[in-house]
Amino acid sequence: MIEVSGLVKTFGSFTALDGVSFSVGEREILGFLGPNGAGKSTTMNIMTGYLSSNAGSVKIDGVDMAEEPGRAKKLIGFLPEQPPLYADMKVDEYLNFVYELKGCTLSRAAHLEEICRVCRLSEVRGRLIKNLSKGYRQRVGIAQALVGNPKVLIFDEPTVGLDPKQIIEVRNLIRTLGRTHTVILSTHILSEARAVCDRIVIINEGRVLADERTDSISRTLNENTRYGLKICGPQKEVAEALRAVPGVLRAEITGERERDSFAYRIECENGYDTRKNVFFAMAEKGYAIVGMEEEGLSLEDVFIKLTETSEKDKKKGGGAKK
Amino acid sequence: MIAIYKREMRAYFTTPIAYVLTAVFSAVAGILFCICTLQMQTSDSSAYFQFLMYVYIVIIALLTMKSFSEEKRARTEQLLLTSPVSLTGMVMAKFLAAFTLFMGTLVLTVPFFAVLSMYSDPNWAKIIGCTVGIILIGSCFIAVGLFMSSLTENQLAAAVSTIAVLCGLVMTSVLNSVIDFYPVRAVLSWVSIYSRFANFTYGIFDIPAAVYYISVCAVFIFLTVRVYEKRRYA
């Protein structure tokens, strides 16, 4: 549905995007992850035709944004980081304006009614946008993106500044929309991408660091299996005993304390299930295990790891050049 | 394009801008009309139209100051620029909205001439000529105002810079009379908006002047479109 290839964007001497390429399939929710200033918004702005690129192309459903911007823009619903709302308009007036702006041909009343129902705006349709809460404004922003029923929805940091309840609501809404639309969602909150997206593209300093399915991205980089344990007994001795268990590469005290148990983290050889060994070793010493769970590499870890790897590669490249 | 035009018109009338500007304009134009025609006991209104040009410098600067700067400040331009409307369409919609309001203010002055015709026999050719001239000059002013508004997100800066540029364009005729060096005078005379208005005040439809005003208008609309195009490629 979306083909982004080799996007390069420079602002003066600063390179914001350096060969960004990825593709998104139909009815897929893609998370666009990266720290602030990574190039997420620039990529999205190029994808929506707001900015042009120095090189590369964006194709929406086979339509090139640079060659046929009018046609390509009709296929996209875009929610920028700051929703583009006219504060002096009522919600209904605003949605009608967007309807006309996009040159929609769908039945106006039924279409806007449906959008308001999906975004749960029906009860505020007659209210001025400037009097709405941040959460409602965000929903109006999402509603304007839905006008015209575009195939592709692009949301730039849609949950920024919302309270936890509103965040959950917006995430649920995006998940619902993902069933019928292709959605691209940018965020710097890693847990958000994991909660909502089917696939994640990680970007840093204008380069794509990873492009994989959400569930496999942590597995790909996870060399060793990690377990979190809660064991009753003297801290140091328990840690020593854990280190002595066959298959355990590393054991550390994480410092959390719960009544008479302490928390530990052990790292085991990849593919080697050492849980039974740990159980019997602890039982032999009389230390009761009160909790044990596998800890997959979190997306936070993945992100830091990928960023470090990229920086190391860069340094190596720089050294080689010298 | 129609959607943006409608939205602009709506914005003028849901905020006090249109009401305040038309009220102030009517008052100032009324006073000017009284001074230039009724008090002078003449039916020749060309002096009134010449003063009206200066009034429009301020009125149009205030009318156009928020056209693009406010969109930029509120980031609503992102909606317009990512919608399937062309840049020219967007600029033209805003131009036409400002032009409609400008024409509205001009229509408000029609009763003045009805009053004048009650006490004298005015030269309608002159009045129509001046009106056409003012419409053309107003269009230029609007195009300049939109251009200045597209350069900044500060409405006040847009208004002040519009007034400065328009004063510069109008005042070139004043400079023309104090400069002896012919090539400079020739250029200033060519640029001057004011000097080209003269024929309209005689009731003559000056085609070269009309072409000049339309060209200035088109150039500034084009420059406004270029500002947005350039920003895309920034």
Side-chain angles (χ1 to χ4, degrees):
Chain A
M1 179 56 73
I2 303 172
E3 282 289 336
V4 175
S5 56
L7 284 189
V8 176
K9 180 71 183 173
T10 55
F11 295 104
S13 58
F14 174 70
T15 305
L17 298 181
D18 190 5
V20 170
S21 301
F22 60 90
S23 59
V24 195
E26 207 162 329
R27 291 176 194 172
E28 188 175 29
I29 305 181
L30 179 93
F32 210 50
L33 262 176
N36 292 324
K40 303 187 296 289
S41 294
T42 307
T43 308
M44 293 193 149
N45 284 332
I46 292 171
M47 288 171 72
T48 53
Y50 182 61
L51 286 178
S52 71
S53 59
N54 297 90
S57 68
V58 175
K59 281 185 182 167
I60 313 289
D61 202 14
V63 183
D64 195 301
M65 180 56 81
E67 287 170 11
E68 294 177 89
R71 256 186 80 202
K73 282 175 183 176
K74 276 202 163 186
L75 299 167
I76 298 174
F78 179 41
L79 171 69
E81 194 175 344
Q82 188 180 324
L85 307 175
Y86 292 99
D88 59 337
M89 289 178 117
K90 289 177 183 171
V91 173
D92 216 21
E93 289 170 341
Y94 176 70
L95 293 178
N96 272 290
F97 162 66
V98 177
Y99 179 92
E100 288 174 17
L101 185 71
K102 292 186 176 181
C104 295
T105 49
L106 300 160
S107 157
R108 185 189 294 232
H111 182 50
L112 296 184
E113 181 69 42
E114 173 65 10
I115 287 171
C116 287
R117 191 190 59 74
V118 170
C119 297
R120 293 204 280 143
L121 286 169
S122 303
E123 68 274 27
V124 295
R125 282 182 78 164
R127 283 178 62 184
L128 279 173
I129 290 173
K130 68 179 169 191
N131 295 334
L132 295 179
S133 69
K134 173 101 174 128
Y136 268 116
R137 285 185 194 200
Q138 199 72 6
R139 279 195 241 165
V140 177
I142 293 174
Q144 66 79 21
L146 294 176
V147 173
N149 202 14
K151 287 183 177 177
V152 175
L153 296 172
I154 299 179
F155 299 135
D156 194 357
E157 309 213 2
T159 56
V160 164
L162 301 182
D163 67 36
K165 190 169 167 271
Q166 292 167 336
I167 288 175
I168 292 166
E169 282 175 2
V170 170
R171 282 182 189 170
N172 287 340
L173 177 57
I174 292 170
R175 243 181 256 126
T176 312
L177 293 171
R179 288 183 209 135
T180 48
H181 299 78
T182 299
V183 181
I184 300 185
L185 161 84
S186 89
T187 178
H188 61 269
I189 306 161
L190 303 157
S191 56
E192 182 166 275
R194 188 158 53 178
V196 180
C197 306
D198 303 320
R199 203 155 61 83
I200 293 174
V201 168
I202 299 179
I203 183 171
N204 189 44
E205 292 178 355
R207 286 181 187 175
V208 172
L209 299 181
D211 177 357
E212 287 186 59
R213 291 199 62 78
T214 310
D215 46 7
S216 67
I217 198 158
S218 48
R219 215 179 297 145
T220 308
L221 287 153
N222 198 359
E223 289 148 352
N224 300 314
T225 318
R226 296 194 300 186
Y227 296 99
L229 295 138
K230 280 176 188 163
I231 303 170
C232 300
Q235 232 178 347
K236 277 187 184 172
E237 283 81 347
V238 171
E240 283 302 317
L242 283 170
R243 283 180 198 119
V245 176
V248 173
L249 299 172
R250 206 171 297 133
E252 57 182 17
I253 303 158
T254 55
E256 290 164 44
R257 188 181 177 151
E258 197 179 277
R259 289 189 185 171
D260 53 348
S261 69
F262 289 95
Y264 305 85
R265 180 180 294 122
I266 59 170
E267 202 171 311
C268 309
E269 285 172 40
N270 201 12
Y272 187 80
D273 191 353
T274 189
R275 283 175 293 183
K276 279 182 190 170
N277 293 345
V278 170
F279 173 79
F280 287 121
M282 293 300 109
E284 198 180 302
K285 302 255 179 189
Y287 305 141
I289 298 174
V290 292
M292 187 191 294
E293 62 178 345
E294 190 177 339
E295 287 181 352
L297 205 60
S298 70
L299 274 168
E300 282 83 351
D301 296 330
V302 171
F303 184 74
I304 290 164
K305 208 164 181 174
L306 285 167
T307 314
E308 280 171 357
T309 314
S310 145
E311 272 164 17
K312 273 180 198 166
D313 289 350
K314 226 193 253 177
K315 277 179 191 167
K316 272 184 195 171
K321 271 179 196 171
K322 281 173 192 173
Chain B
M1 184 177 150
I2 294 165
I4 300 174
Y5 172 80
K6 279 161 72 179
R7 144 80 210 154
E8 282 297 302
M9 288 307 293
R10 197 194 157 280
Y12 281 132
F13 287 98
T14 49
T15 55
I17 289 181
Y19 303 107
V20 171
L21 285 184
T22 46
V24 170
F25 173 80
S26 301
V28 175
I31 293 166
L32 278 177
F33 191 78
C34 285
I35 294 169
C36 296
T37 57
L38 304 182
Q39 272 190 359
M40 302 295 277
Q41 296 195 334
T42 172
S43 62
D44 183 5
S45 53
S46 54
Y48 157 73
F49 278 106
Q50 282 174 0
F51 282 119
L52 206 59
M53 193 194 305
Y54 293 101
V55 177
Y56 270 127
I57 288 180
V58 179
I59 295 290
I60 288 175
L62 297 176
L63 197 68
T64 55
M65 66 180 183
K66 64 179 281 185
S67 292
F68 290 106
S69 56
E70 180 62 15
E71 300 268 8
K72 206 184 292 180
R73 193 197 57 76
R75 303 278 176 89
T76 43
E77 65 172 14
Q78 253 180 316
L79 173 67
L80 305 183
L81 297 173
T82 56
S83 69
V85 179
S86 67
L87 287 176
T88 312
M90 179 184 81
V91 175
M92 280 310 293
K94 286 185 178 272
F95 173 83
L96 289 174
F99 183 76
T100 307
L101 203 62
F102 158 71
M103 286 300 287
T105 60
L106 209 54
V107 167
L108 289 176
T109 65
V110 169
F112 298 172
F113 300 100
V115 172
L116 195 67
S117 64
M118 282 163 63
Y119 298 103
S120 64
D121 185 19
N123 185 335
W124 289 107
K126 271 188 171 186
I127 292 171
I128 292 167
C130 286
T131 307
V132 170
I134 280 289
I135 291 171
L136 290 168
I137 288 173
S139 306
C140 290
F141 287 3
I142 291 168
V144 172
L146 291 180
F147 173 66
M148 299 315 291
S149 179
S150 72
L151 297 177
T152 174
E153 60 181 62
N154 185 314
Q155 291 186 33
L156 188 66
V160 172
S161 55
T162 303
I163 291 171
V165 171
L166 293 180
C167 282
L169 284 173
V170 172
M171 295 297 177
T172 46
S173 56
V174 179
L175 285 174
N176 209 5
S177 57
V178 291
I179 291 171
D180 288 334
F181 190 51
Y182 176 74
V184 175
R185 281 181 63 181
V187 171
L188 287 177
S189 151
W190 190 85
V191 170
S192 176
I193 278 185
Y194 186 80
S195 60
R196 286 169 198 270
F197 185 58
N199 279 342
F200 288 102
T201 62
Y202 304 132
I204 301 166
F205 185 74
D206 186 349
I207 291 175
V211 170
Y212 166 82
Y213 289 135
I214 292 166
S215 305
V216 170
C217 187
V219 163
F220 278 98
I221 287 174
F222 172 74
L223 288 176
T224 312
V225 173
R226 288 295 301 155
V227 166
Y228 275 92
E229 264 173 16
K230 189 179 172 291
R231 201 175 304 151
R232 279 191 70 226
Y233 290 93

